[in-house]
Amino acid sequence: MSEPKPLPDTRERILDAAERLFMESGYEGTSMRMITGEAEVNLAAVNYHFGSKEALLREVFRRRLSWLNRERLSALNELEEKANGEPLKPSAILEAFFGTLLRMGTDEALGGMTFLRLLGRTLTEPADFIRAFFAGEYAEVVERYKRALFRALPEVPHEEIIWRFHLMLGAMSYAIAGTDALQIVTGCELDMNNEGPDAARQLAERVMPFLLGGLRAPLPPFQVSKEQQSTTEPTKAA
Amino acid sequence: MSEPKPLPDTRERILDAAERLFMESGYEGTSMRMITGEAEVNLAAVNYHFGSKEALLREVFRRRLSWLNRERLSALNELEEKANGEPLKPSAILEAFFGTLLRMGTDEALGGMTFLRLLGRTLTEPADFIRAFFAGEYAEVVERYKRALFRALPEVPHEEIIWRFHLMLGAMSYAIAGTDALQIVTGCELDMNNEGPDAARQLAERVMPFLLGGLRAPLPPFQVSKEQQSTTEPTKAA
DNA sequence: AGATTAGTCAAACGTTCGTTTTAATCATAT
DNA sequence: ATATGATTAAAACGAACGTTTGACTAATCT
């Protein structure tokens, strides 16, 4: 009924196997027998240690998100302390929010790319209990960062900021989750390996400028149509 | 064995029900009994008309993607004819590629927002047969648009263009698929209804500037860190 | 009319699912 | 050593899954 004991490694082995398999095959596409098979534990062990398959998925995420939430909050706190009441730079906010996430991908002890890809995929999973779980897990952090962005961009309507926050989350999640899926769609190899710390580092270098460019794009006054504002290509930063 | 006959509406009713349910609950989360129940047809009708659940999903997409592919190609052809051999404007390419997609969301006869959201979600579904299917469906169109982007941005490395194409696809798919999911995460209502033509029109106005901003962002020379290139907020377009 | 076919229907097929049960095993503290 | 509580093990549970069968209906063609 309780878990005060340090426990052997059965719990961790299950969590690791579930993390990898959920990433690879999705929640509904992964059976308990696949998980216990890969973890080399008895089938009943999952229900004994976690109670149910749903609770297992939640625990897979809690184990990682508790670190991520803590780190994201402390990164923002640090920025705000240094700023002495001044609004933050948008780029610094993004660096804190997404940079923290990408740092998980470089550290195998924090789940590495496996967890990053699982996270990106699961955000679009339709199951109700998954959505409800994420809502609770993310609420505080997102609220803090939203507020910071409002202050950093005082002339931009809040609604527009929230939209772009959505879009940045989407681009990042997709970039993380769908690397190989998108490579199939676009038919390009992109010569990056999806595993390991290098992948996360490449992601950071590629994605952050894109996100910043999107966040600072001209506001939509009326319609995006015929006469566009400019045709300049991406400027080479010195 | 063949289907030359016009057939009653059983096929269409199954396709419509499957489209909606796959969108709502995902492929693995939707059972044949849910589909035939919603379509008010016999359970065996799916296997009779389509052969299997996998084949049904493929047909759900084929019915819409054949239109989308045709339209995207003809939009690009028209642009290139008008351009008389000159490279196209990146904004025009995006308008052709994503604008065509978003136009599906305003037309209920083409699937409307239901299909748009299904498409966005399914691109991240891990099942192998789904990925293989999309690879085949998208190959030609993506190849054409990639080439157009290469010509439109001659000074940008091809690899970078492909990356940003990925990222734009991701932001768009996520924006379409995850509207309510992301609203839960960010705790904001965004006062848009997810259904109907208005949603697609709003999406276009909000997302297209973001995508253009990302596409034209400064290239990553070294690292995105401490000293950012600028802190300007989104400029208000007159 | 009778023969043929496409389509529908209820029922059942064998599997696999998540979960539960019951007993055996292990560690530790008395 | 023995009792106790935590963990593992093997087997089975009922439910739900995708699919198939075989009888029945309605339309089509000669």
Side-chain angles (χ1 to χ4, degrees), chain B residues 7 10 33 42 44 48-49:
Chain B
L7 293 164
T10 300
R33 284 162 181 85
N42 188 270
Y48 175 78
H49 284 284

Side-chain angles (χ1 to χ4, degrees), chain A residues 177-189:
Chain A
T179 40
D180 49 12
L182 280 179
Q183 279 177 32
I184 288 175
V185 168
T186 60
C188 297
E189 282 287 333

Side-chain angles (χ1 to χ4, degrees), chain A residues 9 11 28 46 52 65 77 103 107 110 168 178 181 188 196-197 202 206-207 230 233 236:
Chain A
D9 56 341
R11 268 183 69 102
E28 314 247 31
V46 171
S52 71
L65 289 184
N77 286 336
R103 224 164 299 132
D107 191 339
L110 298 172
M168 289 188 294
C188 297
Q202 256 203 66
R206 306 283 187 175
V207 178
S230 142
E233 62 202 31
K236 279 219 171 75

